[in-house]
Amino acid sequence: MTGAKRKKKGMLWSKMHTPHCEDFKQWCRRRLPILEWAPHYNLKENLLPDTMSGIMLAVQQVTQGLAFAILSSVHPVFGLYGSLFPAIIYAIFGMGRHVATGTFALTSLISANAVERLVPLSSQNLTTQSNTSTLGLSDFELQRIGVAAAVSFLGGVIQVAMFALQLGRATFLLTEPVISAMTTGAATHVVTSQVKYLLGMKMPYISGPLGFFYIYACVFENIKSVRLEALLLSLLSIVVLVLVKELNEQFKRKIKVVLPVDLVLIIAASFACYCTNMEIKYGLEVVGHIPEGIPPPRAPPMNVLSAIITEAFGVALVGYVASLALAQGSAKKYKYSVDDNQEFLAHGLSNVIPSFFFCIPSAAAMGRTAGLYSTGAKTQVACLISCILVLIVIYSVGPLLSWLPMCVLASIIVVGLKGMLIQFRDLKKYWNVDKIDWGIWVSTYIFTICFAANVGLLFGVVCTLAIVIGRFPRAKTLSIKNMKEMELKVKTETDGETLQQVKIISINNPLVFLNAKKFHTDLMNIIQKENVSNQLLDDISKCEHNTLLNSLSNGNCNEEVSQPCPNEKSFLILDCSGVTFFDYSGVSMLVEVYNDCKSWSVDVSLAHCTASLIKAMKYCGNPDSEKPVSFDSVSAALSNIYSSKNLSKLSDHSEV
């Protein structure tokens, strides 16, 4: 008997400690998302749109790679490498199907601070160009890309460490107003850094606190040194870019292929500069020699890591925040989920591995991601196709771009930031929804342009937390008197009959960024659970209690909720008497819940809404203008359901 017990115990122990093949497969799918979608890739439906999107994306990757390399104070060819390797890594590890990773203006600007500080322009005279060195570039250029690659390496290591610490769960602290203000402020910094190229001026590199204002002060002091030819060419380039892009956007439904105006402008400007010899005749600054091919990998210099910690943290945080916002927007638009923590791993590896191939820091860019939207991309195959075309440019076309004027590249950078700069229009929305969010946006933007993007981001998060902590103690949870009165009215009006398929849920906490995701997750779980038994309400008469959504912790919304298919239309009443205050994130989530329920044939009514909440919902997207959505009380909402659907039976008990 003892031997049998030992044998049984040994079998249980072996089962407990033997790794299951299925668990390993599940882990691989979770950490390598390409294994999830690649086997199910539909060649017939997706290959053509992905190919067209990949071609257009390659044009953007090449032009922005050259431009953002200049912004990062390194040789333009390294921007082409930065458009190739990070995109391949993200396609394997990333979850955003429409996220185009590569060179990014904000991370390039941050890494430029380290490059200019450690390898200043004044040291260029101490180095010489050697044909035996890597790509035939001077030691000065190699030292500069070494610092930029080190920033990329350390920034990626920080992102991977954040993945290991599961810090993706803390991303709910990054509210939409803070991200919008930070990216807008950083875009303003980028535009300011390009002023010297747009005007054809020779200016020293200026950075640090209040550097934004020092640059413009230097411009006005040296206004007489502006080259009229560069200014006219910059204005012409900006007008052409804006005009053609607007026409492409306006007629994108009528034309299948949009005009790649960036590529056309680069080819035309390079050809014109070569034919007229603008570099010598007018003194225009050009890109210069662009070597062919990709050099063998080399580790970034580790001796400078201690000197670039500040820039590395800036690249890790700013790049991740901007990329995550695009990934979440893509997931919301196309109805799939994104793991915030997995994105840390994807972007971390997209910075660490390419740093061994002379790449500058990378992240997802709004312009490229929007381009994938407009061209109908389906998966990351579009990004992989663009990588093939970028590789062709590196080995064949790159040297032909050596005559490209710098003012044209600066114009491409400025116009490419349009999507970030027009976020100023969000101020009206925030003012009408929540004036505190408006104040956070303005203050975060001011801190960003006065100091840096990472400083502005940190200020915005701290300011948001302080305001919410100060507001919550003043928040009412729920009025007992109103609840009892409501229950009495429901019992009186239902008059002992049965009200089928109606669920009443009371929200007894403010809706803010802290609990917006938790609110959405809990509500979707309730609806999903009820629809398993094909009805919203199983037994109304069994319990009379409040279903309260009172947790302030951030819920994990990474699991997709299966779409229910109810046989009959169901009804949901949300009692908003506990929503004593809210912010933009909370109102947006409430509108999203309404739209999700509507698509699942669940009629949603809102009770006890304040006038400010109704007004805010209109600015965030009016749920339904054809019929009333908000009611003064739960009983009024029930009466509306009763009268509209002519339900025959009402219950003595109503679940709240």
Side-chain angles (χ1 to χ4, degrees), residues 304-361:
V304 300
L305 295 184
S306 60
I308 59 172
I309 293 177
T310 303
E311 288 80 10
F313 267 102
V315 165
L317 294 177
V318 174
Y320 172 75
V321 168
S323 302
L324 181 64
L326 294 175
Q328 289 177 338
S330 170
K332 184 177 179 180
K333 184 179 179 69
Y334 293 98
K335 306 296 182 184
Y336 62 90
S337 65
V338 169
D339 186 344
D340 298 349
N341 209 54
Q342 177 66 21
E343 290 297 290
F344 262 131
L345 177 64
H347 289 289
L349 295 178
S350 297
N351 277 310
V352 171
I353 298 175
S355 68
F356 290 83
F357 295 89
F358 302 90
C359 292
I360 60 178

Side-chain angles (χ1 to χ4, degrees), residues 34 51 107 121 138 163 223 228 250 265 294 317 331 386 408 414 427 446 500 575 589 601 619 627 652:
I34 192 173
T51 302
T107 54
L121 197 62
S138 66
F163 159 77
I223 196 69
L228 185 60
Q250 187 174 356
L265 181 62
I294 300 175
L317 294 177
S386 74
V408 175
V414 171
L427 282 172
I446 292 174
Q500 297 289 346
D575 179 14
M589 191 61 72
S601 298
Y619 281 100
K627 59 181 181 179
D652 288 337

Side-chain angles (χ1 to χ4, degrees), residues 454-648:
N454 50 348
V455 177
L457 180 65
L458 181 61
F459 170 81
V461 171
V462 173
C463 186
T464 303
L465 281 175
I467 289 174
V468 170
I469 291 173
R471 292 172 79 182
F472 258 101
R474 299 183 288 107
K476 296 180 181 179
T477 54
L478 195 64
S479 173
I480 303 299
K481 178 181 178 182
N482 289 343
M483 285 301 300
K484 290 181 178 179
E485 182 181 352
M486 182 184 65
E487 291 177 359
L488 180 61
K489 288 184 178 180
V490 171
K491 291 179 181 179
T492 303
E493 294 194 12
T494 54
D495 196 22
E497 298 178 353
T498 303
L499 181 60
Q500 297 289 346
Q501 295 182 329
V502 175
K503 188 81 171 178
I504 306 174
I505 298 178
S506 174
I507 311 170
N508 73 327
N509 271 310
L511 278 178
V512 293
F513 72 96
L514 285 171
N515 62 346
K517 287 186 178 180
K518 178 68 173 175
F519 163 71
H520 182 275
T521 304
D522 288 349
L523 194 57
M524 293 302 105
N525 287 339
I526 291 173
I527 294 174
Q528 183 187 23
K529 182 179 179 181
E530 296 297 334
N531 276 282
V532 170
S533 57
N534 291 324
Q535 58 182 8
L536 254 173
L537 196 57
D538 289 327
D539 193 357
I540 301 175
S541 61
K542 286 185 179 180
C543 59
E544 286 185 11
H545 67 279
N546 296 331
T547 303
L548 305 177
L549 304 175
N550 53 4
S551 175
L552 294 180
S553 61
N554 179 36
N556 186 3
C557 297
N558 296 327
E559 296 183 1
E560 291 185 78
V561 180
S562 60
Q563 180 171 325
C565 299
N567 297 327
E568 300 181 38
K569 196 163 189 177
S570 304
F571 300 93
L572 174 66
I573 299 176
L574 292 178
D575 179 14
C576 301
S577 57
V579 185
T580 52
F581 67 84
F582 49 86
D583 64 5
Y584 182 80
S585 300
V587 178
S588 298
M589 191 61 72
L590 187 60
V591 174
E592 183 180 342
V593 163
Y594 179 90
N595 292 329
D596 288 346
C597 290
K598 186 178 179 181
S599 64
W600 299 339
S601 298
V602 178
D603 237 352
V604 179
S605 301
L606 305 177
H608 295 117
C609 289
T610 61
S612 58
L613 179 59
I614 297 173
K615 181 181 177 182
M617 291 180 66
K618 290 181 180 179
Y619 281 100
C620 289
N622 192 14
D624 202 334
S625 58
E626 298 179 357
K627 59 181 181 179
V629 175
S630 176
F631 299 91
D632 294 334
S633 63
V634 173
S635 57
L638 286 170
S639 299
N640 179 72
I641 295 173
Y642 178 80
S643 60
S644 61
K645 295 300 178 181
N646 195 22
L647 297 176
S648 58

